[in-house]
Amino acid sequence: NAGVMQNPRHLVRRRGQEARLRCSPVKGHSHVYWYRQLPEEGLKFMVYLQKENIIDESGMPKERFSAEFPKEGPSILRIQQVVRGDSAAYFCASSPDLEGEKLFFGSGTQLSVL
Amino acid sequence: GQQVMQIPQYQHVQEGEDFTTYCNSSTTLSNIQWYKQRPGGHPVFLIQLVKSGEVKKQKRLTFQFGEAKKNSSLHITATQTTDVGTYFCAGRNQGGKLIFGQGTELSVKP
């Protein structure tokens, strides 16, 4: 069984470009979470999505950041007009239908903004 | 908003010594989970505690959930080099959101 798949593993962008991070959850999981991690820091919640719905985006900046989890295909975290401060590891996690279940994390995407 | 505080931030121990990390929430939690992240890796689920005062063991690891469901601890007995990594607690609030603590980075000197 494939786990959570994130791609790309590493993404380099110049300031002002767009970054698109993809996440395919564990097969059958309908809950997806995005977290951001800076070096030697914890996991900062960004957004929680279910299929075609954003449930909680309270951790995501209002500008430049957006997330979606379409009916078909992976979840996408999109960062427009990236700045150096966006450089971080972005982890996606998924869980089964029931709330309260453990999270399965992907290997993360390391975003570097030059 | 809800905060989950974890201490210490770093812990350096000699192999064979014990290790404990503590987690405190500003609000009552419906459950608490613990994860381990190896250097360069991704968080991996260890355990979930749900009941007030619950204690669970996994070999040398002992997990506790406080009576008020606002704090938790992870204790490792006789650490080994394979225990190296960052341990995160994650509290789930009544709304279902999982909030992670800052993590405790454990290093073990052989």
Side-chain angles (χ1 to χ4, degrees):
Chain A
N1 287 331
V4 176
M5 304 299 291
Q6 283 189 254
N7 67 81
R9 189 71 194 273
H10 301 276
L11 183 60
V12 180
R13 284 288 177 266
R14 296 191 181 278
R15 280 179 297 173
Q17 291 184 320
E18 178 181 285
R20 290 171 70 90
L21 287 61
R22 294 175 183 77
C23 169
S24 295
V26 173
K27 188 176 180 180
H29 285 192
S30 58
H31 299 228
V32 166
Y33 308 78
W34 285 93
Y35 288 86
R36 169 187 158 120
Q37 186 176 42
L38 290 168
E40 299 187 6
E41 287 192 14
L43 293 151
K44 183 175 178 295
F45 169 81
M46 297 183 73
V47 61
Y48 165 34
L49 310 104
Q50 292 182 26
K51 281 286 186 183
E52 299 184 274
N53 289 306
I54 295 175
I55 306 303
D56 185 338
E57 57 181 347
S58 58
M60 201 157 65
K62 294 282 188 285
E63 296 178 356
R64 302 190 298 109
F65 285 72
S66 62
E68 62 177 10
F69 188 17
K71 187 177 180 181
E72 301 290 337
S75 175
I76 305 287
L77 178 66
R78 183 181 178 206
I79 311 173
Q80 294 178 293
Q81 299 175 324
V82 295
V83 300
R84 287 223 173 102
D86 296 331
S87 297
Y90 292 84
F91 286 97
C92 168
S94 74
S95 68
D97 288 337
L98 295 174
E99 284 194 358
E101 288 289 331
K102 65 183 180 183
L103 299 187
F104 293 78
F105 279 85
S107 299
T109 292
Q110 181 64 51
L111 173 64
S112 299
V113 180
L114 305 180
Chain B
Q2 178 191 0
Q3 288 189 316
V4 175
M5 307 298 293
Q6 197 174 345
I7 57 169
Q9 188 174 0
Y10 303 98
Q11 186 76 56
H12 309 285
V13 300
Q14 194 76 35
E15 189 172 22
E17 290 182 337
D18 292 356
F19 158 77
T20 305
T21 173
Y22 301 91
C23 184
N24 287 285
S25 169
S26 56
T27 59
T28 302
L29 301 169
S30 59
N31 63 55
I32 195 157
Q33 299 177 357
W34 286 89
Y35 292 78
K36 177 183 178 181
Q37 184 177 23
R38 293 183 184 276
H42 59 276
V44 175
F45 175 83
L46 293 177
I47 207 160
Q48 176 171 281
L49 304 169
V50 179
K51 298 176 184 175
S52 169
E54 188 170 13
V55 177
K56 286 188 176 180
K57 291 192 174 186
Q58 288 180 351
K59 296 182 180 177
R60 294 177 295 104
L61 277 61
T62 302
F63 303 84
Q64 290 188 316
F65 199 10
E67 293 291 340
K69 299 184 76 172
K70 294 178 74 172
N71 58 68
S72 181
S73 66
L74 157 59
H75 180 82
I76 303 179
T77 304
T79 54
Q80 300 175 359
T81 55
T82 53
D83 295 326
V84 163
T86 300
Y87 292 85
F88 292 98
C89 64
R92 193 180 294 277
N93 63 14
Q94 304 303 328
K97 183 164 50 178
L98 200 60
I99 304 296
F100 280 78
Q102 304 95 313
T104 297
E105 184 179 338
L106 172 65
S107 62
V108 180
K109 187 184 292 186

